[in-house]
Amino acid sequence: LDRDFNTCKECKPPCYDCSGTETNCTWCFAGYNLVKNSCRKICDVSDKWQPKSSKCIPCDSPCKRCDHIDSGVCTECHEGTYFFSKYLKIYFQFHL
């Protein structure tokens, strides 16, 4: 509802339902999570959310899974790699 003109306006996808403005989401379409009144795409476990572009981007290689904020911080490594240091930086493991 646009209170200035007493009209109803559609919510802007991926908002399924909104309040006050077209982008103040209260419910999201399938495949999105509601985070602080905006809809965030549900990313694959091998991706991280990029808020500036509103897209999922792949984790930095060689991360199999990465931190949802920093794609270079691995939470799981691909086969043939290992966690290095307490900051979870990883380096390729040499195979003999």
Side-chain angles (χ1 to χ4, degrees), residues 1-94:
L1 176 65
D2 184 334
R3 301 222 185 263
D4 293 333
F5 299 103
N6 291 330
T7 60
C8 296
K9 294 184 177 182
E10 288 188 32
C11 300
K12 185 175 181 180
C15 293
Y16 180 80
D17 198 13
C18 55
S19 177
T21 68
E22 64 185 4
T23 58
N24 187 39
C25 305
T26 57
W27 195 261
C28 302
F29 282 106
Y32 292 84
N33 282 331
L34 184 63
V35 180
K36 296 181 181 178
N37 294 92
S38 64
C39 295
R40 189 174 100 179
K41 186 167 176 56
I42 299 171
C43 300
D44 288 341
V45 294
S46 61
D47 292 340
K48 78 160 196 106
W49 177 250
Q50 179 64 39
K52 289 180 184 177
S53 64
S54 297
K55 295 181 180 179
C56 296
I57 62 170
C59 296
D60 291 350
S61 181
C63 298
K64 183 174 183 178
R65 294 183 176 159
C66 58
D67 182 83
H68 69 281
I69 296 170
D70 185 345
S71 62
V73 176
C74 301
T75 57
E76 187 177 338
C77 300
H78 282 290
E79 213 172 291
T81 63
Y82 65 97
F83 285 112
F84 181 79
S85 88
K86 66 180 181 176
Y87 299 107
L88 301 180
K89 292 180 181 177
I90 60 171
Y91 292 90
F92 285 100
Q93 183 177 21
F94 294 103

